[in-house]
Amino acid sequence: MYQAFVGLEIHVQLLTKSKVFCGCRAAFGDEPNTNVCPVCMGYPGVLPTLNRQAIVQAYLVARALDCELSESAVFERKNYFYPDLPKNYQISQLGSPVGRNGRVDLDLGGSRRRVPIREVHLEEDAGKMIHAGDVSLLDYNRAGTPLLEIVTEPVLERGEEAELFLQYFRRMVRYLGVCDGNMEEGSLRCDANVSVNRPGKGLGSKVEIKNMNSSRFVKKALAFEIARQSGLLDRGAPVAQETRLWNENRDLTEAMRSKEEADDYRYFPEPDLPPFKPDAAFLLDVEKGLVELPSARRERLVAEYGLGPDQVDFIIDEKSRADFFERTVALGADPLAAASWLGSDVKRLLNREGVELAESPLTPERLAGLLVLLASGRIHGKIAKQVLEVLFAEGKDPETIIRERAWEQLIDAGAIAKLVDEAIDANEKAAAQIRAGDEKPVGFLVGEIMKATSGRAEPQLVRSVLKERLAKSR
Amino acid sequence: MNHSARWSNVLLSPDRTESYLDYARGWEKRIGSFLELSPPVPASPPRGDLAGIPFAVKDNIAVEGFNLTCGSKMLAGLKSPYTATAVRRLQEAGALVVGKTNLDEFGMGSSTDTSALARTSNPWDTSLVAGGSSGGSAAAVAAGIVPFALGSDTGGSIRQPAAFCGIYGLKPTYGAVSRYGLVAYASSLEGIGVVAESVGFARRVFEVIRGIDPLDHSSVEYLPSGQTPPRPRLGVVRGLAGLSGEIERAYRRAADLARGLGMEVSEVDLKTFDYVVPAYYTIATAEASANLARFNGIRYGLRPEGTENPEQLVKGARNRGFGDEVKLRILLGTYVLRSGFQDRYYVRAQKIRTAIRNDLQALFGAVDLLLLPVFPTAAFKHGEAGLTPFQQKLADRFTVTANLAGIPALSFPMGSEAGAPLGLQLLAPAFEEERLFRAAESFAEAVPLEHPPGYSEEWRS
């Protein structure tokens, strides 16, 4: 048996309005080379100016990861030549990053694993180069957009743990509103370092894995890589220190470059940017951005509302969903009912319509209205589902819908009695059977009444009135 | 300022612009100080403190509508898409950019002879260099084509050509003037400054261009002490070796003169003096190796034809675009930053830099001003008869101290000998430029400004 050590390097594209060192829009789906200026194009003579929103978000993530926040965050130049890097150096951080020595307490389904965070640092992204036939094309829209790099200590042991960590992390940055967390589109990117060794022997040769653009691929790539390295050790073969790429089509990692070819980045302090020293006003802004994080919210929702494990996981997965849930409950809905509806019927309709909860016609007010109607017996379950359908189709309040369609449940005893009498008259044989003590046809008669009212009659009431009537006349 | 009245009218009408160009072109045939000379035709009379006054800008400082070549084949023909903050402030004060001046390629040199685009000569004697790297700016001012010009000073690049051409050259406190728009050579050492025909112009221009700039995070609020000692204590350095006869005489004469002018002169030691050149070249080239990395022929600048892939394109552009001196400094800088060697070179140089700052801070407890030569010799000859690139680097020992310490220094004329002007410099603590101006004004009363043969003011009247 071997022990695996996995560390993650996560890159987060921050959701800032402008780029990290100039005023250009930080949007890179646009027409190539439209969100550029002399600064992010690396023209001669220009200088970087630090975007406050970016540095606030960087400290916010560091804070959320329980890091020691730097009192003097130093930017450095990382020197390497690549056509998509306009200055041929990247402004990054090395010696004194924004945050250090943080931690995440990861819930591994029962057990807990503390994942120490080595550092959080802010840097600029590069542009994009594509090769089309015999030309190379460059788009610098992404050049200079803010990127946050988070490095964990190598304490994860399996692909599943890395996947859980990533899911936790993704949820966290989405809660903080600093990243949309989209791994497929690359706004959240993850590289891993893996080393395998005999237990107690410390770290083995370090292999870096890149190109894993979903948390599932991270799990699969790590599982493959751990098995590959274990196999090498079994055969007594050395594990080469190298960088490997995950090939999602072939489900394996492939060697990209060996350590000997690794670059010397010749880091040195960026003379154009003095060290960033957060003052009290800045730290206050950071604290203001620090929302209740998913793990804390999970615990609170369980304690406050008694949600089950699956329910609570679903509710807290998105901050907007958890906010929606709590707002619905605050408006008078039963918490368990709200959670259950959100996790079943609402989810089904959202999937069918292909919309997000926030963009759908459903609001906490409408869901609470629906659930209160249901709880008070003014409509029953089947009608409630229909109301939800209409609500999605027409965007109206539940009250309006049941009024317009006369869907309110019949709970008036007089009206029900009249219906019961009509049913008895129309079904003499069944009525006689019941009167004779045979309860079997009760269900049939109730069904007839429900049919006659398109399901609006309150079934329990119908049943009891029916029994009462037939008993009386006996 | 008595001369401004005459300068402020020189471009006010097409006729006057014609006479202006006649005078300028007459000089340019001999000295080649401009890479681009194109005086504007103001649509309406300029307004402001420097209304209508023409000035020149070193061609490593951005002015929209003008080239930004840095004296390099790499950037020949590049039009600047924006304007440097210092230039914009002068334009807002009504001053008019007439052109861009020659320089050593990317500011790397002491003669302007490393320019790949033009040859600039000293207005006093065209067999002599104008100094560098702001040689074009200094020559243009000395010839009387403009009353002042912007230059940049990384290790003496304003003060040395000013001394070689017999004019004033101010290297301001680091951070006092925005570097936005100055093409970076060694970011932590350099700044934009001014060469001028008089202390008055140097002061007025400095007052306009200084001050914090949101586009330059290394710029600072200008906060001088406001105290200018009436009888300043002047430090002269003991035992300076390797000076040419004329510079040594000028230095002694200035010290004597200072006593006569009521200054308190005392001899001081510069303990860190022997270390300044190695420290300077280590830091400057390290920063240059990164600063010049952006020139790769992809987004602008020289692009070789027929390359097969981006890597070939970049290599070709840099191989053909840069001159030898630039390549040398990039290689040196890359070397001192290599991993495993940083402690030996770059980090050690930074420690020396701190020691130099401390040395000067202690010194400025005992004196208000420091008097130093600018260069060990007067202007030297072009080519092989002059100084080798290595000798030129060693000769930077008097100027780089101010850059390493981030303090202001002003070079001022001290007469001439054998047809070549002589210059010395004064150093002051950070933000005490006014002390420099006052002292230089005192010297100016005793040593009248000399002009090169062919200099004329008549066309202006």
Side-chain angles (χ1 to χ4, degrees):
Chain A
M1 262 315 284
Y2 299 105
Q3 189 178 4
F5 303 89
V6 175
L8 301 179
E9 270 179 35
I10 304 172
H11 283 96
V12 173
Q13 272 173 355
L14 295 179
L15 284 173
T16 54
K17 287 191 194 75
S18 50
K19 294 187 177 181
V20 59
F21 299 123
C22 67
C24 288
R25 241 159 59 80
F28 33 88
D30 296 355
E31 193 67 18
N33 299 310
T34 49
N35 296 324
V36 294
C37 72
V39 176
C40 57
M41 284 290 268
Y43 264 70
V46 294
L47 297 169
T49 51
L50 180 61
N51 176 336
R52 184 179 161 95
Q53 198 186 5
I55 190 81
V56 167
Q57 290 186 0
Y59 271 85
L60 182 57
V61 171
R63 175 79 175 77
L65 291 169
D66 273 328
C67 286
E68 294 160 11
L69 301 184
S70 176
E71 289 173 11
S72 177
V74 176
F75 290 96
E76 309 207 20
R77 291 185 182 178
K78 178 179 180 179
N79 296 285
Y80 66 95
F81 276 86
Y82 202 71
D84 67 4
L85 188 66
K87 300 185 294 294
N88 287 310
Y89 61 80
Q90 179 193 33
I91 302 178
S92 182
Q93 300 194 286
L94 183 71
S96 184
V98 161
R100 265 196 173 145
N101 301 328
R103 62 176 187 276
V104 164
D105 286 324
L106 199 59
D107 187 352
L108 298 175
S111 67
R112 285 212 161 191
R113 164 75 50 82
R114 173 158 292 189
V115 183
I117 305 296
R118 187 177 296 172
E119 63 164 86
V120 174
H121 74 247
L122 180 61
E123 60 189 22
E124 58 182 335
D125 208 343
K128 268 185 179 161
M129 179 162 66
I130 52 167
H131 302 287
D134 58 353
V135 292
S136 301
L137 301 170
L138 283 153
D139 175 10
Y140 293 102
N141 282 350
R142 198 179 69 180
T145 54
L147 208 54
L148 203 61
E149 183 174 327
I150 292 91
V151 184
T152 76
E153 294 293 343
V155 299
L156 299 164
E157 293 177 5
R158 295 184 309 132
E160 286 81 359
E161 295 178 9
E163 185 184 32
L164 275 175
F165 181 88
L166 260 184
Q167 285 167 350
Y168 172 93
F169 183 82
R170 178 178 177 276
R171 201 181 267 164
M172 187 197 86
V173 290
R174 287 173 58 88
Y175 261 62
L176 295 171
V178 301
C179 178
D180 65 18
N182 192 327
M183 288 192 77
E184 285 74 22
E185 287 176 17
S187 45
L188 185 70
R189 297 171 232 162
C190 178
D191 299 336
N193 53 73
V194 187
S195 80
V196 172
N197 212 348
R198 297 193 185 280
K201 295 279 183 189
L203 274 66
S205 298
K206 197 166 88 173
V207 173
E208 285 184 52
I209 308 174
K210 292 177 181 288
N211 198 39
M212 302 172 288
N213 52 8
S214 79
S215 55
R216 198 168 54 89
F217 289 153
V218 170
K219 179 174 76 174
K220 289 171 80 175
L222 291 175
F224 175 88
E225 186 57 25
I226 291 166
R228 187 188 71 87
Q229 293 186 25
S230 302
L232 285 172
L233 295 177
D234 275 342
R235 297 199 303 276
V239 176
Q241 197 155 315
E242 62 187 353
T243 299
R244 299 176 72 86
L245 291 182
W246 170 245
N247 183 328
E248 61 180 72
N249 298 316
R250 301 179 56 201
D251 276 2
L252 47 77
T253 64
E254 296 167 328
M256 183 177 99
R257 63 165 184 242
S258 74
K259 199 70 196 168
E260 289 76 67
E261 298 160 44
D263 296 300
D264 175 2
Y265 293 118
R266 307 190 309 280
Y267 279 95
F268 73 97
E270 167 58 271
D272 292 334
L273 291 168
F276 178 78
K277 296 182 171 149
D279 58 16
F282 176 88
L283 292 172
L284 197 65
D285 274 1
V286 172
E287 289 305 313
K288 273 188 215 150
L290 199 67
V291 296
E292 183 185 28
L293 293 176
S295 46
R297 194 164 198 175
R298 187 182 194 282
E299 279 175 26
R300 183 171 61 79
L301 293 193
V302 169
E304 245 171 70
Y305 305 116
L307 301 184
D310 289 346
Q311 263 184 332
V312 78
D313 281 342
F314 172 74
I315 292 296
I316 62 138
D317 191 40
E318 298 282 346
K319 178 172 181 292
S320 57
R321 187 184 297 148
D323 290 346
F324 190 105
F325 166 78
E326 291 212 73
R327 177 100 187 103
T328 305
V329 171
L331 289 164
D334 174 63
L336 293 175
S340 148
W341 276 73
L342 282 170
S344 53
D345 295 274
V346 173
K347 186 175 159 192
R348 185 175 51 80
L349 282 168
L350 291 173
N351 284 342
R352 196 182 70 193
E353 306 291 321
V355 289
E356 294 292 321
L357 183 57
E359 283 93 54
S360 79
L362 190 66
T363 59
E365 288 72 18
R366 285 173 171 169
L367 181 58
L370 182 66
L371 297 180
V372 167
L373 283 173
L374 183 62
S376 64
R378 287 178 60 200
I379 56 173
H380 63 75
K382 198 171 154 224
I383 293 288
K385 288 177 195 232
Q386 288 175 22
V387 170
L388 190 66
E389 291 269 357
V390 176
L391 194 158
F392 266 79
E394 300 179 3
K396 289 176 180 161
D397 291 338
E399 281 281 357
T400 313
I401 293 167
I402 64 166
R403 193 180 61 239
E404 282 177 1
R405 286 175 167 68
W407 276 355
E408 192 157 352
Q409 209 154 28
L410 275 176
I411 48 171
D412 175 65
I416 298 270
K418 195 165 161 269
L419 286 167
V420 167
D421 289 344
E422 282 167 18
I424 291 170
D425 290 348
N427 297 281
E428 274 301 331
K429 223 175 117 190
Q433 245 177 297
I434 298 165
R435 282 197 193 96
D438 180 2
E439 296 244 324
K440 249 188 251 159
V442 169
F444 165 73
L445 280 181
V446 170
E448 288 297 294
I449 293 163
M450 293 308 289
K451 219 185 283 175
T453 59
S454 313
R456 287 165 51 226
E458 208 286 297
Q460 289 310 318
L461 192 56
V462 171
R463 184 174 289 265
S464 64
V465 171
L466 186 70
K467 282 188 174 176
E468 195 184 292
R469 277 287 203 260
L470 291 175
K472 255 184 197 168
S473 41
R474 184 161 21 178
Chain B
M1 184 63 216
N2 47 351
H3 290 301
S4 347
R6 270 186 266 159
W7 277 113
S8 61
N9 291 324
V10 297
L11 297 173
L12 272 191
S13 68
D15 281 2
R16 291 200 141 254
T17 301
E18 214 38 59
S19 339
Y20 179 82
L21 281 172
D22 283 348
Y23 180 75
R25 284 175 186 146
W27 267 110
E28 280 301 282
K29 273 180 239 156
R30 297 165 49 214
I31 61 171
S33 60
F34 282 87
L35 289 171
E36 191 181 7
L37 179 61
S38 160
V41 184
S44 55
R47 319 183 101 196
D49 290 346
L50 297 169
I53 296 175
F55 71 106
V57 180
K58 187 179 181 181
D59 207 18
N60 63 349
I61 299 171
V63 186
E64 197 175 344
F66 284 86
N67 290 337
L68 184 57
T69 70
C70 298
S72 178
K73 277 190 266 180
M74 179 67 89
L75 298 179
L78 174 70
K79 285 268 177 233
S80 177
Y82 72 103
T83 297
T85 300
V87 174
R88 186 177 51 71
R89 288 181 176 172
L90 288 168
Q91 288 174 326
E92 282 166 5
L96 305 169
V97 178
V98 297
K100 303 298 293 289
T101 53
N102 199 16
L103 67 158
D104 284 299
E105 188 175 1
F106 288 104
M108 298 178 177
S110 309
S111 61
T112 306
D113 282 352
T114 74
S115 169
L117 304 181
R119 179 178 163 116
T120 298
S121 296
N122 196 310
W124 289 69
D125 174 349
T126 54
S127 73
L128 301 177
V129 301
S133 63
S134 312
S137 285
V141 170
I145 300 171
V146 284
F148 74 89
L150 292 185
S152 63
D153 192 313
T154 312
S157 280
I158 284 176
R159 290 160 286 157
Q160 187 257 26
F164 278 18
C165 294
I167 55 169
Y168 295 89
L170 172 71
K171 172 237 166 296
T173 305
Y174 186 81
V177 177
S178 168
R179 285 186 296 119
Y180 186 75
L182 167 63
V183 180
Y185 154 27
S187 316
S188 76
L189 296 162
E190 68 201 359
I192 291 176
V194 54
V195 285
E197 65 173 22
S198 65
V199 177
F201 259 119
R203 179 192 277 120
R204 288 173 65 200
V205 170
F206 177 60
E207 283 170 358
V208 170
I209 63 177
R210 76 188 182 198
I212 197 160
D213 175 13
L215 297 176
D216 177 3
H217 279 356
S218 67
S219 68
V220 292
E221 203 82 59
Y222 193 73
L223 296 167
S225 69
Q227 288 159 3
T228 41
R231 269 195 92 222
R233 297 165 297 167
L234 179 74
V236 295
V237 179
R238 215 188 316 261
L240 289 175
L243 299 179
S244 69
E246 69 274 12
I247 296 297
E248 193 161 358
R249 283 189 287 281
Y251 192 63
R252 256 190 265 126
R253 191 153 70 91
D256 291 343
L257 212 54
R259 288 190 195 90
L261 293 167
M263 299 185 204
E264 227 175 82
V265 178
S266 60
E267 285 203 325
V268 297
D269 291 305
L270 270 178
K271 290 195 281 294
T272 49
F273 189 65
D274 290 343
Y275 307 103
V276 294
V277 169
Y280 168 79
Y281 274 98
T282 302
I283 295 167
T285 58
E287 292 179 8
S289 70
N291 281 329
L292 272 67
R294 68 186 61 197
F295 305 114
N296 62 2
I298 291 179
R299 288 143 298 132
Y300 51 78
L302 183 98
R303 177 185 287 197
E305 295 292 321
T307 51
E308 296 285 327
N309 54 49
E311 193 184 26
Q312 263 188 26
L313 188 154
V314 171
K315 282 187 174 167
R318 291 173 70 79
N319 187 35
R320 285 171 41 197
F322 290 143
D324 288 347
E325 184 63 33
V326 173
K327 286 178 186 163
L328 174 76
R329 295 194 193 194
I330 291 172
L331 286 172
L332 194 56
T334 307
Y335 182 84
V336 299
L337 283 176
R338 280 183 315 159
S339 88
F341 290 75
Q342 284 211 359
D343 282 353
R344 208 183 297 175
Y345 300 112
Y346 182 75
V347 174
R348 189 187 285 185
Q350 293 292 4
K351 284 179 186 157
I352 295 173
R353 185 175 190 176
T354 305
I356 291 164
R357 280 172 192 266
N358 294 342
D359 192 11
L360 279 155
Q361 202 172 357
L363 201 70
F364 282 121
V367 298
D368 301 308
L369 293 161
L370 190 61
L371 181 71
L372 275 176
V374 174
F375 204 76
T377 68
F380 52 85
K381 287 200 180 295
H382 283 295
E384 308 232 315
L387 299 182
T388 67
F390 183 68
Q391 287 171 322
Q392 289 180 38
K393 288 185 181 71
L394 284 182
D396 288 339
R397 59 189 182 273
F398 301 114
T399 43
V400 296
T401 295
N403 303 84
L404 287 164
I407 60 173
L410 177 74
S411 73
F412 62 99
M414 199 62 207
S416 66
E417 239 183 72
L422 304 172
L424 300 171
Q425 63 171 333
L426 291 160
L427 283 68
F431 303 108
E432 302 302 332
E433 275 83 352
E434 187 51 33
R435 274 188 213 170
L436 301 175
F437 295 140
R438 298 254 172 119
E441 277 168 340
S442 303
F443 281 113
E445 283 169 26
V447 186
L449 189 71
E450 294 177 36
H451 294 294
Y455 175 93
S456 161
E457 292 177 10
E458 278 163 33
W459 60 277
R460 278 186 252 151
S461 50

